């Protein structure tokens, strides 16, 4: 399976990193070795001194698709999770300055903690779902899927212009503002609406 991750999909987050607001979606891929499941601890890697959290809604794709039009894209998923796109901001900054790919900063082992998936049947509107991240019990990021610059269905249309999506692929849909560093000992909890979905520590 592959993990497709979207960058700069919330205006406030693009601005906080001094990035332009994109005119079309930006995506990159992560390997499945980045996933961290079952609330396993995240081990702070020794190659970075500036690991940032980015909380994101994750969509599980459940059909094979290529050139999927926005209006049909809702047929390609029925479950969501919440995930963290851990980013080694110090390494990413160097990559950006040199115009290099940023995999070293995003795709390392454990960079993508993820919750269990829940059915979208629970929700009235996929484009109106609240989610948030707390670090040590304090809210650090709060978002709603309606704030996405490109909605889930538009993301699927864009990505499938270039690559086939397959059953079981994941789509990380971008992070709202409020990203920040973690440190060893922090406890991260992430919620979809009022349901606690993720709860793990940094070691
Ligand atoms: Zn991200």
């Amino acid at each position: 399976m592959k993990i497709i991750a979207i960058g700069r999909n919330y205006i406030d987050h693009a601005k906080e990193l001094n990035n332009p607001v994109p005119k079309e979606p930006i995506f990159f891929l992560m390997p499945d070795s980045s996933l961290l499941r079952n609330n396993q601890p995240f081990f702070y890697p020794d190659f970075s001194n500036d690991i940032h959290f980015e909380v994101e809604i994750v969509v599980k794709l459940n059909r094979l698709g290529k050139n999927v039009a926005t209006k049909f894209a809702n047929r390609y998923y029925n479950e969501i999770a919440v995930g963290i796109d851990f980013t080694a901001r110090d390494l990413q900054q160097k990559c950006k300055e040199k115009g290099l790919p940023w995999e070293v900063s995003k795709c390392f082992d454990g960079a993508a903690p993820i919750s269990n998936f829940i059915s979208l049947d629970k929700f009235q509107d996929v484009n109106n779902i609240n989610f948030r991240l707390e670090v040590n019990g304090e809210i650090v990021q709060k978002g709603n899927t309606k704030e996405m610059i490109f909605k889930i269905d538009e993301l699927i249309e864009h990505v499938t212009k270039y690559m086939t999506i397959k059953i079981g692929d994941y789509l990380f849909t971008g992070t709202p503002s409020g990203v920040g560093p973690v440190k060893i000992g922090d406890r991260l909890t992430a919620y979809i609406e009022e349901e606690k979905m993720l709860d793990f520590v940094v070691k």
Side-chain angles (χ1 to χ4, degrees), residues 6 54 56 85 106:
I6 305 296
E54 297 186 353
E56 312 200 1
D85 169 20
K106 292 265 192 193

Side-chain angles (χ1 to χ4, degrees), residues 5-8 13 28 54-56 85-87 106 172-175:
I6 305 296
R8 301 173 200 168
H13 172 62
F28 58 96
E54 297 186 353
V55 69
E56 312 200 1
D85 169 20
F86 274 128
T87 305
K106 292 265 192 193
F172 277 64
T173 56
T175 194

Side-chain angles (χ1 to χ4, degrees), residues 36-47:
L36 198 60
R37 298 182 196 271
N38 304 318
N39 290 324
Q40 287 178 332
F42 171 75
F43 288 94
Y44 203 107
D46 56 13
F47 50 74

Side-chain angles (χ1 to χ4, degrees), residues 2 4 8 32 70 86 94 106 120 129 132 137 196:
K2 61 184 170 295
I4 303 148
R8 301 173 200 168
D32 58 0
T70 296
F86 274 128
K94 283 185 194 158
K106 292 265 192 193
L120 277 170
I129 295 174
R132 69 177 193 270
K196 190 197 282 186

Side-chain angles (χ1 to χ4, degrees), residues 86-117:
F86 274 128
T87 305
R89 202 65 81 196
D90 43 0
L91 301 186
Q92 188 193 33
Q93 193 53 38
K94 283 185 194 158
C95 295
K96 282 162 106 177
E97 282 163 13
K98 294 179 185 160
L100 292 172
W102 63 31
E103 274 82 349
V104 289
S105 70
K106 292 265 192 193
C107 302
F108 51 88
D109 286 358
I114 190 165
S115 74
N116 290 330
F117 283 85

